[in-house]
Amino acid sequence: SGIRWLHARVVPISSNGVPPCFFVSFEDITVDKNRDDELRRCDALLQRAERLGGLASWTWDFQENRVYWSDNLYRMVGIEPQSRTPDQGLIAQVTHPEDRERIERAHQAALKEDATAGIKEHQAEFRLVKADGTHTTVHARVEVERDSGGNPMKMSGVFLDITERQQIME
């Protein structure tokens, strides 16, 4: 039945000068360990697929007020993965100044749309500014996830790097 993973807990017990004895307990953590290993494998596969496909992903959780960027999104804008915590300031910084207002209006429109529509996808093309000052053109696909009352819970998206295609078209 394979390898089992155990978590051991040892507690010394002594009283009144009696030589110490120990209480030992074991917990089988095999299921948790296997789940963690599978999650790491899936994450590595997703990161490889993003890198090979010129994709990057992100999620903005409104309830936790937390933004998550995939490692490839950091790379897309020339920042070391996980070196900075993404927030509104960083998002604005990496969006090309000429595109910021248009993208902000699109985000606000997506958040205010008819809540009975369920998850709805939005698309846009804009430029991301890299740390070295150059820019990358992306095709963005974004969706808003709502709770049962129609309130936005999360906004998630993917960016496809279309810089080369854009240069060829120009």
Side-chain angles (χ1 to χ4, degrees):
S1 66
I3 296 173
R4 305 299 298 171
W5 289 87
L6 301 175
H7 178 258
R9 188 170 292 138
V10 179
V11 179
I13 303 171
S14 66
S15 70
N16 300 331
V18 174
C21 54
F22 299 91
F23 173 77
V24 181
S25 66
F26 294 95
E27 178 183 4
D28 186 339
I29 59 168
T30 304
V31 170
D32 293 338
K33 177 74 171 130
N34 290 341
R35 189 176 318 128
D36 290 347
D37 290 347
E38 181 62 20
L39 186 57
R40 276 191 284 283
R41 280 190 294 276
C42 288
D43 188 53
L45 180 63
L46 175 61
Q47 287 188 41
R48 179 176 292 128
E50 282 191 358
R51 193 174 57 252
L52 291 171
L55 292 169
S57 60
W58 59 273
T59 298
W60 183 1
D61 185 323
F62 300 120
Q63 295 173 327
E64 294 181 13
N65 194 26
R66 182 180 157 99
V67 178
Y68 164 81
W69 283 10
S70 69
D71 286 353
N72 212 41
L73 181 48
Y74 283 97
R75 287 186 201 98
M76 201 176 266
V77 296
I79 299 174
E80 182 66 29
Q82 308 304 322
S83 63
R84 293 186 55 190
T85 302
D87 59 16
Q88 285 300 99
L90 184 56
I91 293 166
Q93 179 183 334
V94 301
T95 302
H96 194 283
E98 294 173 11
D99 298 338
R100 283 183 193 144
E101 187 178 323
R102 177 174 54 88
I103 295 305
E104 179 59 27
R105 279 195 317 267
H107 276 179
Q108 292 306 317
L111 291 172
K112 292 178 183 175
E113 73 184 1
D114 179 10
T116 61
I119 295 177
K120 193 170 182 184
E121 184 181 285
H122 301 272
Q123 298 184 44
E125 290 185 2
F126 63 99
R127 293 163 292 175
L128 295 173
V129 179
K130 295 182 177 185
D132 66 5
T134 62
H135 69 269
T136 300
T137 304
V138 296
H139 179 88
R141 296 177 83 127
V142 177
E143 67 180 25
V144 177
E145 182 181 337
R146 299 176 183 281
D147 64 17
S148 59
N151 302 305
M153 294 182 351
K154 291 181 184 175
M155 180 180 275
S156 300
V158 293
F159 296 154
L160 172 62
D161 185 342
I162 60 168
T163 306
E164 189 175 317
R165 182 184 87 185
Q166 197 76 8
Q167 289 169 344
I168 290 169
M169 287 175 51
E170 290 172 3

